[in-house]
């Protein structure tokens, strides 16, 4: 039995914990309700840049002090930036939780953002962008988002572009930091062997005088400017001299809190979510046309995307694309079989439960629920919603999502997109 508790401190800082008595470790995270989609033109690229810079030192600790403190106790320390939030997290033994809270709180509240560190980290981020550009599987998903959402924050890469990173100044990054990293925009989440009152006490001490005033926490992000906007439906070709072509075919999906998301999740599992899925069987098992093929669905507050990915020999791209389109059409026209429906439900239920078997995933669930969901939905309710999905639900969501015009992104050794444009239009 787990115990979830929530406290709102002065200044609007939320502390949410889940006690897992059987564990010997704790996952601790500080979540900021700012993602790359929140950047205006003047601060484009600043969110991910900040993720790097907060590890570079505070008035109390150098960058080496930060990493050495966590290494000395065998802890894990990292961060990630998403479209709609940023998270700084650590996993440590329960006895080292005070250290983790102090180090992470210091980083998030008191980063120096020294100009020399901004300049040094600029090169690191440019290397990260170059590494991403060298991975066709990552690049094709970015190209798909760009085609689907256009030149908008959702369509641009989280890392920023080379031009943006080269041009952004330390002052702009500092402005973004001061505007976004305020207590009411932050959530402290922890799961594992802990006592809620102790986490609140340690967090209060670590944030100190920054926690003052009767400030309401930021409301969850439940809507946004992209709601109802149509997606792009063209072809985006990124020409690269690679041995394997990478394709993503898809369109606009569902928003994060859309009640149809459970049906889409079951449909996605049956269409391309595992080795027994239609796409895996038709493309890989029966024809041997690709090593990797799958379908996916991702959500934002106001919109989402769904699609099919395949990696294949360049000469096989048109055939693979035709099979994927055919399998999508079959689902739209005929839905799923009884066996596929039950298998899709089981796969989705299992992935959710198994994904919550460690403190880090539990901590993530707590943090995200505060930032982007109307409430922390009990796991039992989620599983019940999945179990309640029927053939009618599948047909309805397939008609709404899979029937629309699609966008196509291709990364491969091709000179022009004429053949792909014709295939998409047929």
């Amino acid at each position: 039995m787990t115990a979830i508790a929530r406290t709102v401190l002065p200044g609007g800082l939320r502390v949410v914990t889940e006690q897992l008595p059987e564990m010997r470790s704790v996952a601790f995270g500080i979540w900021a309700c700012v993602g790359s989609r929140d950047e205006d033109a003047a601060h484009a690229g600043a969110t991910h840049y900040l993720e790097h810079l907060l590890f570079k030192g505070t008035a109390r600790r150098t960058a080496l002090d930060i990493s050495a403190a966590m290494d000395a106790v065998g802890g894990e320390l990292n961060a990630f930036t998403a479209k709609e939030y940023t998270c700084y997290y650590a996993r440590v033994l329960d006895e080292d939780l005070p250290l983790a809270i102090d180090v992470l709180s210091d980083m998030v509240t008191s980063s120096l953002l020294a100009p020399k560190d901004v300049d040094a980290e600029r090169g690191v981020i440019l290397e990260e962008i170059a590494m991403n550009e060298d991975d066709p599987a990552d690049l094709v998903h970015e190209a798909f988002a760009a085609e689907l959402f256009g030149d908008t924050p959702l369509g641009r890469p989280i890392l920023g572009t080379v031009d943006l990173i080269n041009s952004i100044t330390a002052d702009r990054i500092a402005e973004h930091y001061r505007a976004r990293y305020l207590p009411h925009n932050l959530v402290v989440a922890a799961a594992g062997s802990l006592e809620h009152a102790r986490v609140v006490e340690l967090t209060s001490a670590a944030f100190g005088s920054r926690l003052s005033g009767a400030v309401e926490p930021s409301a969850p992000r439940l809507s946004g400017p992209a709601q109802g906007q149509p997606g792009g439906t063209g072809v985006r070709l990124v020409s690269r001299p690679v041995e394997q072509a990478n394709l993503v075919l898809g369109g606009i999906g569902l928003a994060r809190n859309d009640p149809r998301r459970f049906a889409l999740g079951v449909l996605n599992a049956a269409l391309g979510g595992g080795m027994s899925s239609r796409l895996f069987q038709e493309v890989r098992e029966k024809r041997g046309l690709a090593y990797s093929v799958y379908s996916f669905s991702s959500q934002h507050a106001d919109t989402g995307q769904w699609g099919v990915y395949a990696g294949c020999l360049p000469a096989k791209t048109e055939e693979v694309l035709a099979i994927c389109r055919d399998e999508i059409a079959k689902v739209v026209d005929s839905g799923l079989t009884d066996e596929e429906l039950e298998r899709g439900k089981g796969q989705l239920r299992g992935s959710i439960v198994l994904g919550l078997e460690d403190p880090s995933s539990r901590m993530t669930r707590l943090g995200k629920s505060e930032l982007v969901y109307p409430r922390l939905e009990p796991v039992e309710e989620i599983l019940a919603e999945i179990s309640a999905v029927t053939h009618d639900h599948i047909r309805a969501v397939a008609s709404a999502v899979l029937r629309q015009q699609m966008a196509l992104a291709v990364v491969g050794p091709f000179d022009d997109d004429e053949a792909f444009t014709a295939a998409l239009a047929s």
Side-chain angles (χ1 to χ4, degrees):
M1 189 71 178
T2 65
I4 296 175
R6 180 180 186 270
T7 297
V8 179
L9 294 171
L13 179 67
R14 287 156 283 181
V15 180
V16 190
T17 69
E18 183 170 13
Q19 187 177 34
L20 305 170
E22 69 278 10
M23 298 291 179
R24 283 294 312 279
S25 65
V26 182
F28 177 84
I30 300 180
W31 295 71
C33 59
V34 56
S36 62
R37 76 173 301 184
D38 298 308
E39 299 165 347
D40 57 23
H43 300 91
T47 306
H48 174 255
Y49 214 136
L50 271 175
E51 179 209 311
H52 282 243
L53 290 172
L54 265 59
F55 286 84
K56 301 302 287 185
T58 70
R60 294 170 53 203
R61 294 178 172 92
T62 66
L64 178 58
D65 291 335
I66 291 171
S67 58
M70 299 304 294
D71 287 347
V73 298
E76 302 170 9
L77 180 66
N78 213 329
F80 64 86
T81 304
K83 297 283 188 179
E84 297 182 325
Y85 44 79
T86 308
C87 178
Y88 303 83
Y89 63 93
R91 187 174 181 187
V92 293
L93 296 178
D94 50 10
E95 63 193 58
D96 298 314
L97 178 58
L99 173 67
I101 292 177
D102 190 51
V103 169
L104 276 171
S105 299
D106 189 29
M107 289 168 50
V108 169
T109 63
S110 306
S111 178
L112 294 177
L113 306 184
K116 65 179 179 62
D117 292 328
V118 173
D119 292 338
E121 210 61 24
R122 195 185 309 273
V124 175
I125 295 171
L126 291 173
E127 288 294 334
E128 188 176 359
I129 292 173
M131 182 175 65
N132 195 62
E133 288 273 337
D134 285 342
D135 187 335
D138 286 343
L139 188 57
V140 74
H141 282 282
E142 288 197 349
F144 176 68
E147 186 62 31
L148 195 62
F149 296 118
D151 187 21
T152 68
L154 281 181
R156 293 193 286 268
I158 292 171
L159 303 184
T161 64
V162 171
D163 288 343
L164 288 172
I165 298 305
N166 276 325
S167 62
I168 195 167
T169 65
D171 287 342
R172 292 296 191 190
I173 296 170
E175 287 174 356
H176 199 59
Y177 178 58
R178 290 191 296 267
R180 299 291 185 169
Y181 281 70
L182 300 171
H184 69 279
N185 287 332
L186 302 175
V187 173
V188 168
S193 175
L194 56 81
E195 294 180 358
H196 178 76
R198 180 63 171 154
V199 175
V200 171
E201 176 188 358
L202 292 167
T203 300
S204 298
F207 273 74
S209 61
R210 295 171 186 83
L211 301 182
S212 63
V215 182
E216 287 295 315
S218 296
R221 189 197 300 259
L222 303 179
S223 62
Q227 204 152 24
Q229 292 183 7
T233 56
V235 175
R236 183 163 299 227
L237 171 62
V238 181
S239 184
R240 288 287 188 277
V242 292
E243 297 297 319
Q244 184 186 60
N246 291 258
L247 319 172
V248 172
L249 171 71
I252 293 292
L254 301 179
R256 185 180 291 113
N257 291 294
D258 192 306
R260 299 170 295 174
R261 66 189 183 277
F262 303 105
L264 183 59
V266 173
L267 172 57
N268 182 66
L271 177 62
M275 294 176 65
S276 65
S277 68
R278 289 192 183 189
L279 289 172
F280 193 92
Q281 288 295 311
E282 292 296 327
V283 174
R284 175 169 167 167
E285 292 297 289
K286 292 182 180 179
R287 297 175 175 86
L289 293 174
Y291 176 76
S292 179
V293 58
Y294 59 84
S295 61
F296 63 90
S297 176
S298 61
Q299 293 80 38
H300 305 301
D302 48 350
T303 187
Q305 57 178 295
W306 73 273
V308 171
Y309 165 85
C312 62
L313 291 174
K316 303 293 185 181
T317 52
E318 291 185 49
E319 184 179 0
V320 168
L321 183 58
I323 295 169
C324 291
R325 294 196 64 185
D326 186 47
E327 292 305 315
I328 292 169
K330 287 179 183 177
V331 171
V332 171
D333 292 340
S334 306
L336 303 177
T337 66
D338 291 341
E339 182 181 355
E340 286 175 325
L341 178 65
E342 292 308 312
R343 191 166 61 234
K345 290 182 185 181
Q347 183 179 339
L348 192 56
R349 287 194 301 262
S351 66
I352 288 172
V353 174
L354 292 175
L356 294 174
E357 288 291 298
D358 68 90
S360 295
S361 59
R362 293 273 181 171
M363 180 275 291
T364 296
R365 177 171 175 260
L366 296 177
K368 287 179 66 175
S369 72
E370 283 288 332
L371 294 182
V372 297
Y373 289 103
R375 67 187 182 99
L376 179 63
E377 192 171 14
V379 175
E380 293 73 17
E381 286 188 21
I382 297 173
L383 299 180
E385 292 278 8
I386 294 170
S387 296
V389 172
T390 66
H391 285 294
D392 286 342
H393 295 137
I394 295 294
R395 284 190 287 268
V397 79
S399 179
V401 177
L402 274 62
R403 192 186 291 276
Q404 64 186 301
Q405 286 187 295
M406 292 180 280
L408 173 65
V410 182
V411 176
F414 306 106
D415 295 327
D416 62 67
D417 61 9
E418 183 177 342
F420 298 111
T421 301
L424 191 62
S426 62

